[in-house]
């Protein structure tokens, strides 16, 4: 008999059985979704503050996308990209390249974020190797940062706690401090931090030998690992200049930031300082289908294809059903003007978060761009002191949020060394009224938390 007990059945069970039991207390069982809301088995409604996993840009149940996938599946379910080609692949990549603009004419599809990050780095390695630059293998990334959970991407991810378990197995890349705007690693302002990190990048390239450095990879707007950190604009011009000077490829991981910042790519905010390769994933499939993409210039891709080619693929790369779904996602985004809308809706949400910050003793910072925002929690706004590990403020706030109809996602980065926060990135279809509802509920959630802390003598 099939067990309907999702908590701890004798066999099978939900995915969270694999996660730390300490962090899965009180997880709701979701049975239904509608627009920006999800509903549990007890009839409670939650506003999806984090769009699933910063991905569900179109919210739940978009008929056009689901129908496009169904229709495609009925017409032609699958054929393998290594031995045939199909139109949905070309239709989707044409749309992506048109949105991405010059320098990103070619789009390689894969099944998700981590896989696309690996594809991007492997593509650059293959390109350099084919052109005779065979010593180029080192990848420099930021600490903290996130680039995925496969063994290769764990090595590029900036997570100080990863080395203990994975160190003997993963190949760890070279790390330099992230240009955090609220906690600058150098100097005391965001700009001084950005200049310090740029100098650290240059020093690291020189130390490793430019002939050995393949790429510098960064998130132009941080995801969960930095809580929507937006580096100072100087950082973009500096890393572009330094990468050019030393012949190091610049890679933007836009797995979260694409579609959310008010432009298709966050890179579009810095048109003079384009990366060589951009990776995206989440917003592209909007959770309707697993997909990721890496984009590069036609010049590079065609040059490599004429040499060795980039002959890697996974079974589900560019499969027709996924391509049709993602093409419909982009049509929805374009026709409903959702990408540009993220700017003015984001400005409204940000203004509400700023006023919550003014009134709350526990909110130290509000940051981000468009609908990719975050709030950082502190015990002391003057000193930026983080709450203790026992309090685990960000997770406690997540739990209180559940009682107030909010689905939050929080992070205490590297034991709180870099702070703790919740990302605030609702679906792009959110209305102004729903933004007010989100902010009202968040305000009450933070009031309850602050009261708890006051009663406990922590504040
Ligand atoms: N890079 C960034 C910036 C991400 O946020 C994520 C996912 N959170 C990934 C890479 C990995 O993507 P996936 O989980 O789809 O493998």
């Amino acid at each position: 008999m099939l067990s309907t007990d999702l908590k701890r059945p004798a066999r099978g069970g939900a995915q969270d059985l694999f996660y730390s039991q300490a962090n899965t207390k009180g997880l709701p069982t979701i049975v239904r979704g509608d627009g920006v809301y999800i509903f549990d088995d007890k009839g409670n409604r939650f506003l999806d503050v984090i769009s699933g996993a910063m991905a569900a840009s179109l919210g739940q149940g978009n008929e056009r996308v689901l129908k496009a996938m169904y229709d495609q599946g009925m017409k032609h379910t699958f054929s393998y990209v290594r031995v045939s080609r199909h139109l949905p692949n070309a239709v989707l990549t044409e749309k992506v390249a048109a949105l991405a603009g010059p320098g990103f004419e070619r789009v390689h599809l894969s099944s998700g974020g981590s896989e696309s990050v690996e594809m991007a780095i492997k593509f650059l390695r293959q390109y350099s190797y084919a052109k005779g630059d065979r010593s180029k293998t080192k990848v420099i990334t930021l600490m903290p940062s996130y680039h995925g959970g496969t063994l290769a991407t764990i090595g590029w991810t900036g997570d100080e706690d990863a080395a203990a378990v994975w160190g003997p197995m993963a190949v760890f890349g070279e790390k330099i401090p992230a240009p955090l705007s609220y906690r600058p690693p150098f100097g005391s302002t965001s700009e001084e931090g950005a200049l310090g990190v740029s100098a650290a990048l240059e020093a690291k390239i020189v130390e490793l030998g430019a002939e050995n450095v393949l790429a510098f990879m960064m998130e132009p707007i941080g995801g969960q690992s930095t809580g929507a950190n937006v580096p100072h604009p100087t950082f973009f011009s500096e890393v572009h200049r330094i990468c050019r000077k030393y012949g190091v490829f610049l890679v933007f991981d836009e797995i979260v930031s694409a579609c959310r910042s008010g432009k298709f790519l966050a890179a579009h905010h810095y048109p003079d300082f384009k990366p060589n390769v951009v990776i995206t994933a989440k917003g592209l499939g909007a959770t309707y289908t697993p997909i990721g993409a890496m984009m590069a210039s036609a010049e590079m891709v065609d040059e490599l294809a004429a040499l060795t080619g980039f002959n890697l693929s996974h079974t589900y790369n560019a499969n027709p059903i996924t391509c049709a779904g993602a093409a419909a996602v982009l049509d929805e985004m374009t026709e409903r003007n959702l990408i540009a809308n993220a700017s003015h809706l984001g400005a409204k949400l940000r203004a509400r978060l700023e006023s919550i910050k003014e009134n709350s003793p526990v909110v130290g910072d509000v940051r981000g761009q468009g609908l990719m925002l975050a709030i950082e929690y502190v015990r002391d706004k003057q000193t930026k002191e983080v709450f203790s590990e026992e309090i685990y403020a960000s997770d406690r706030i997540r739990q209180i949020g559940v009682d107030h109809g909010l689905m939050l996602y929080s992070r205490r980065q590297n034991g709180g060394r870099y702070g703790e926060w919740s990302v605030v990135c609702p679906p792009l279809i959110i209305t102004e009224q729903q933004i007010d509802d989100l902010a009202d509920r968040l305000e009450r959630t933070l009031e309850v938390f602050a009261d708890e802390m006051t009663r406990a003598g922590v504040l």
Side-chain angles (χ1 to χ4, degrees), residues 7 14 21 78 158 165 169 173 190 227 261 308 346 365 388 391 456:
K7 287 213 181 104
Q21 290 176 8
F78 188 82
V165 185
M169 300 179 74
S190 173
S261 73
T308 58
D365 194 31
S388 70
I391 291 172

Side-chain angles (χ1 to χ4, degrees), residues 53-54 112-115 117 146-149 219 223-224 253 255-256 281-282:
M54 302 173 283
S114 306
E115 202 181 293
V117 170
Y146 190 75
H147 298 293
E219 299 155 81
Q224 184 69 311
D253 177 341
I255 285 168
V256 179
K282 296 183 186 249

Side-chain angles (χ1 to χ4, degrees), residues 417-436:
R417 273 185 296 268
Y418 299 100
E420 60 183 322
W421 46 77
S422 301
V423 288
V424 183
C425 52
L428 304 180
I429 57 162
I430 194 164
T431 62
E432 304 217 5
Q433 213 179 356
Q434 288 166 337
I435 283 180
D436 280 325

